[in-house]
Amino acid sequence: MKRTHPAIVIFLFFLGWVFMYADRNILSPVMGEIGEQWNLNNSQLGLMSTVFFIAYSIMQIPTGFLADRFGRVKVLVIGYILFGITTFLSGLASSFALFLLMRALTGIGEGTYYGSQYGISSNITPKKYRGIVSAVINSGMAFGISLGFIAASYFTYTLNKGWQFSFYLFAIPTIIVAILIGICVRDQSSHEKKQEVPHMKDSQNLKRLFTKNHLFVYILIFCSLYGFFGMLTWLPYYLQTVKGVEGSQTGIISSLVPWASIPGAIFFGYVSDKVKNKKPLIIFLAFAGAVCQFVIPYAENYSLLIAGLVFYGLLGKLALDPVLISYMAEITPSSMYSKVYGFFNFSGMLSSIFAPYITGYFADITGKLEIGFYLSGVLLIIGAVLFLFTEGSNRMTHFVQYYKPGEEQVK
């Protein structure tokens, strides 16, 4: 069967992230409306995101194994269609409990995407372009965040359509994208499985995903995503309740982060493709993201707040992601890409389970949402410091070559 041009595959994966992140972020600007409808406190508001991310996180590791075994495209498409259907049903929820159930099912559907998608894209992309291609695909997250923030704010507060309208609206293109991926994207995972070393036990294979370098990357992505999802969940609400910004404007201001991240991610993805040792770049971006997490809540001046948001977009999680994704591909055998990206994203998404709720919990206790930002900055510094202890890239490249699928082990 003729393969689809890689550019089309990359574009479809870009769209996949657009609607994944649009769905997540149509919730943030309307949390106040939902809270009023069902008389919710801050902890319960945070729980709406937490249940989604619990389900999403739980799916990461089994998805990686299922995708590598049964086909990455099949697993991705089935999950993505489920995600579209439950997004629509979220808008129909008649009670808070039912809404939580729909968000959990949406998380299960979206949970099939990360490992499957990056398993495919890392395979079709030459090593020298992995950083920039990952950045282009990742930029769909930025478009989705912005689209979700602005659309939910506009339809709910400007057009008075009700918070449910955005869930109905985004469900339709979501299902269309799933169908297009199923039609256009070809799967190579079955070919890779045939090339695996036949006498290598599963336990030996899994050890290759838990080297010291892998473990420190898992910790770093946890710390990076903690701040990112804490901010995505609470930033519009924070701007409304603490900074006094009108509800119709919070979507636009919050979108500064994703829009700024597009050039930042592409630039640093390009740089990561040009350097042999990605370690200094990764550490720089981690520390820079931490500084921005401190500046945003500390800023009393409106201009400084805007600057903090813009620089977080340029240097934060979305800029760090493509560099880490490329780095993981370098230190992992290609036959295990879906598995390693499953563990990678599971590690990061564990933080998303805690961040929305913990931020709301501290806000209820102290009356201040700023504590959540400061905690995020501290965690990111910890992750950056631990990453300092990773081994050199040359040694890890030799490790991957040593276990290259289809070849006998070097004696």
Side-chain angles (χ1 to χ4, degrees), residues 189-219:
S189 59
S190 59
H191 174 67
E192 293 167 5
K193 186 171 178 60
K194 292 177 182 178
Q195 291 185 324
E196 287 185 342
V197 180
H199 60 275
M200 185 77 72
K201 295 180 180 179
D202 288 341
S203 60
Q204 291 175 303
N205 277 323
L206 286 177
K207 287 180 181 179
R208 294 147 69 184
L209 304 183
F210 291 94
T211 67
K212 184 167 72 172
N213 282 25
H214 284 85
L215 291 173
F216 285 141
V217 172
Y218 297 152
I219 293 171

Coordinates of all heavy atoms in Angstrom, one line a residue, residues 189-219:
S189 N 4.6 -0.5 13.1 CA 5.0 -1.2 14.3 C 5.1 -2.7 14.1 O 5.9 -3.3 14.8 CB 4.0 -0.8 15.4 OG 2.7 -1.2 15.1
S190 N 4.2 -3.3 13.3 CA 4.3 -4.7 13.1 C 5.6 -5.1 12.4 O 6.1 -6.2 12.7 CB 3.1 -5.2 12.2 OG 3.1 -4.5 11.0
H191 N 6.1 -4.3 11.5 CA 7.4 -4.6 10.9 C 8.5 -4.5 11.9 O 9.4 -5.3 11.9 CB 7.6 -3.6 9.8 CG 9.0 -3.7 9.1 ND1 9.4 -4.8 8.4 CD2 10.1 -2.8 9.2 CE1 10.6 -4.6 8.0 NE2 11.1 -3.4 8.5
E192 N 8.4 -3.5 12.8 CA 9.5 -3.4 13.8 C 9.5 -4.6 14.8 O 10.5 -5.1 15.2 CB 9.2 -2.1 14.7 CG 9.4 -0.8 13.9 CD 8.9 0.3 14.7 OE1 8.4 0.1 15.8 OE2 8.9 1.4 14.1
K193 N 8.3 -5.1 15.1 CA 8.2 -6.2 16.1 C 8.9 -7.4 15.5 O 9.5 -8.2 16.2 CB 6.7 -6.5 16.4 CG 6.6 -7.6 17.5 CD 5.1 -7.7 17.9 CE 5.0 -8.8 18.9 NZ 5.8 -8.5 20.1
K194 N 8.8 -7.7 14.2 CA 9.4 -8.8 13.5 C 11.0 -8.7 13.7 O 11.7 -9.7 13.6 CB 9.0 -8.9 12.1 CG 7.6 -9.2 11.9 CD 7.2 -9.2 10.4 CE 5.7 -9.5 10.2 NZ 5.3 -9.5 8.8
Q195 N 11.5 -7.5 13.8 CA 12.9 -7.2 13.8 C 13.5 -7.4 15.2 O 14.7 -7.3 15.4 CB 13.3 -5.9 13.3 CG 13.0 -5.8 11.8 CD 13.5 -4.4 11.2 OE1 13.4 -3.4 11.9 NE2 14.0 -4.4 10.0
E196 N 12.6 -7.5 16.2 CA 13.1 -7.5 17.6 C 14.0 -8.8 17.8 O 13.8 -9.8 17.2 CB 12.0 -7.5 18.6 CG 11.3 -6.1 18.7 CD 10.2 -6.1 19.8 OE1 9.8 -7.2 20.2 OE2 9.9 -5.0 20.2
V197 N 14.9 -8.7 18.8 CA 15.7 -9.8 19.1 C 14.8 -10.9 19.7 O 14.2 -10.7 20.8 CB 16.8 -9.4 20.1 CG1 17.7 -10.6 20.5 CG2 17.7 -8.3 19.5
P198 N 14.8 -12.1 19.1 CA 13.8 -13.1 19.5 C 14.0 -13.7 20.9 O 13.1 -14.0 21.6 CB 13.9 -14.2 18.4 CG 15.3 -14.0 17.9 CD 15.5 -12.5 17.9
H199 N 15.3 -13.8 21.3 CA 15.6 -14.4 22.6 C 15.6 -13.4 23.8 O 15.9 -13.8 24.9 CB 16.9 -15.1 22.6 CG 18.1 -14.3 22.2 ND1 18.4 -14.0 20.9 CD2 18.9 -13.6 23.0 CE1 19.5 -13.2 21.0 NE2 19.8 -12.9 22.2
M200 N 15.3 -12.1 23.5 CA 15.3 -11.1 24.6 C 14.0 -11.2 25.4 O 12.9 -11.0 24.8 CB 15.5 -9.7 23.9 CG 15.6 -8.6 25.0 SD 17.3 -8.5 25.7 CE 18.2 -7.9 24.3
K201 N 14.1 -11.4 26.6 CA 12.9 -11.5 27.5 C 12.3 -10.1 27.7 O 13.0 -9.1 27.6 CB 13.3 -12.1 28.9 CG 13.8 -13.5 28.8 CD 14.1 -14.0 30.2 CE 14.6 -15.4 30.2 NZ 14.9 -15.9 31.5
D202 N 11.0 -10.1 28.0 CA 10.3 -8.8 28.2 C 10.9 -8.0 29.3 O 11.1 -6.8 29.3 CB 8.8 -9.0 28.5 CG 8.1 -9.5 27.3 OD1 8.6 -9.3 26.2 OD2 7.0 -10.1 27.4
S203 N 11.4 -8.7 30.4 CA 12.0 -8.0 31.6 C 13.3 -7.4 31.2 O 13.6 -6.3 31.6 CB 12.2 -9.0 32.7 OG 13.1 -10.1 32.3
Q204 N 14.0 -8.0 30.2 CA 15.3 -7.4 29.8 C 15.0 -6.2 28.9 O 15.7 -5.2 28.9 CB 16.1 -8.5 29.0 CG 16.7 -9.6 29.8 CD 17.3 -10.6 29.0 OE1 16.7 -11.2 28.1 NE2 18.6 -10.9 29.3
N205 N 13.9 -6.3 28.1 CA 13.5 -5.2 27.3 C 13.1 -4.0 28.1 O 13.5 -2.8 27.8 CB 12.3 -5.6 26.4 CG 12.7 -6.3 25.1 OD1 13.8 -5.9 24.5 ND2 12.0 -7.3 24.7
L206 N 12.3 -4.2 29.2 CA 11.9 -3.1 30.0 C 13.0 -2.4 30.7 O 12.9 -1.2 31.0 CB 10.8 -3.6 31.0 CG 9.4 -4.0 30.4 CD1 8.5 -4.5 31.5 CD2 8.8 -2.8 29.7
K207 N 14.1 -3.2 31.0 CA 15.2 -2.5 31.7 C 15.8 -1.4 30.8 O 16.4 -0.5 31.3 CB 16.2 -3.6 32.0 CG 15.9 -4.5 33.2 CD 17.0 -5.5 33.5 CE 16.6 -6.4 34.6 NZ 17.7 -7.5 34.9
R208 N 15.6 -1.6 29.5 CA 16.2 -0.6 28.6 C 15.4 0.8 28.6 O 15.9 1.8 28.1 CB 16.2 -1.1 27.2 CG 17.2 -2.3 27.0 CD 16.7 -3.4 26.1 NE 16.7 -2.9 24.7 CZ 16.2 -3.6 23.7 NH1 15.7 -4.7 23.8 NH2 16.3 -3.1 22.4
L209 N 14.3 0.7 29.3 CA 13.5 2.0 29.4 C 13.7 2.6 30.8 O 13.0 3.6 31.1 CB 12.0 1.6 29.2 CG 11.6 1.0 27.9 CD1 10.1 0.8 27.9 CD2 12.1 1.8 26.7
F210 N 14.6 2.0 31.6 CA 14.8 2.5 33.0 C 16.2 2.7 33.3 O 16.7 2.4 34.4 CB 14.1 1.6 34.0 CG 12.6 1.7 33.9 CD1 11.9 0.7 33.2 CD2 11.8 2.6 34.6 CE1 10.5 0.8 33.0 CE2 10.5 2.7 34.5 CZ 9.8 1.8 33.7
T211 N 17.0 3.1 32.3 CA 18.4 3.5 32.6 C 18.4 4.8 33.5 O 17.3 5.4 33.7 CB 19.1 3.8 31.3 OG1 18.6 5.0 30.7 CG2 19.1 2.6 30.4
K212 N 19.5 5.2 34.0 CA 19.6 6.4 34.8 C 19.1 7.6 34.0 O 18.4 8.5 34.5 CB 21.0 6.6 35.3 CG 21.1 7.8 36.2 CD 22.4 7.8 37.0 CE 23.6 8.2 36.1 NZ 24.9 8.4 36.8
N213 N 19.5 7.7 32.7 CA 19.1 8.8 31.9 C 17.6 8.8 31.7 O 16.9 9.9 31.8 CB 19.8 8.8 30.5 CG 21.2 9.2 30.6 OD1 21.8 9.2 31.6 ND2 21.7 9.7 29.5
H214 N 17.0 7.7 31.5 CA 15.5 7.6 31.3 C 14.8 8.1 32.6 O 13.9 8.9 32.6 CB 15.1 6.2 31.0 CG 15.3 5.8 29.6 ND1 16.5 5.3 29.2 CD2 14.5 5.8 28.5 CE1 16.4 5.0 27.9 NE2 15.2 5.3 27.4
L215 N 15.3 7.6 33.8 CA 14.7 7.9 35.0 C 14.7 9.4 35.3 O 13.7 10.0 35.8 CB 15.3 7.2 36.2 CG 15.1 5.6 36.2 CD1 15.9 5.0 37.3 CD2 13.6 5.3 36.4
F216 N 15.8 10.1 35.0 CA 15.9 11.5 35.3 C 15.1 12.3 34.3 O 14.6 13.4 34.7 CB 17.4 12.0 35.2 CG 18.2 11.6 36.5 CD1 19.5 11.1 36.3 CD2 17.6 11.6 37.7 CE1 20.2 10.8 37.5 CE2 18.3 11.3 38.9 CZ 19.6 10.8 38.7
V217 N 14.9 11.8 33.1 CA 14.0 12.4 32.2 C 12.5 12.3 32.7 O 11.8 13.3 32.6 CB 14.1 11.9 30.7 CG1 13.0 12.4 29.8 CG2 15.4 12.2 30.1
Y218 N 12.2 11.1 33.2 CA 10.8 11.0 33.7 C 10.6 11.9 34.9 O 9.5 12.5 35.0 CB 10.6 9.5 34.2 CG 10.8 8.4 33.2 CD1 11.2 7.2 33.5 CD2 10.4 8.7 31.8 CE1 11.3 6.2 32.5 CE2 10.6 7.7 30.8 CZ 11.0 6.4 31.2 OH 11.1 5.4 30.3
I219 N 11.5 12.1 35.7 CA 11.4 13.1 36.8 C 11.3 14.5 36.3 O 10.4 15.3 36.8 CB 12.6 12.9 37.8 CG1 12.5 11.6 38.5 CG2 12.5 14.1 38.9 CD1 13.8 11.3 39.3

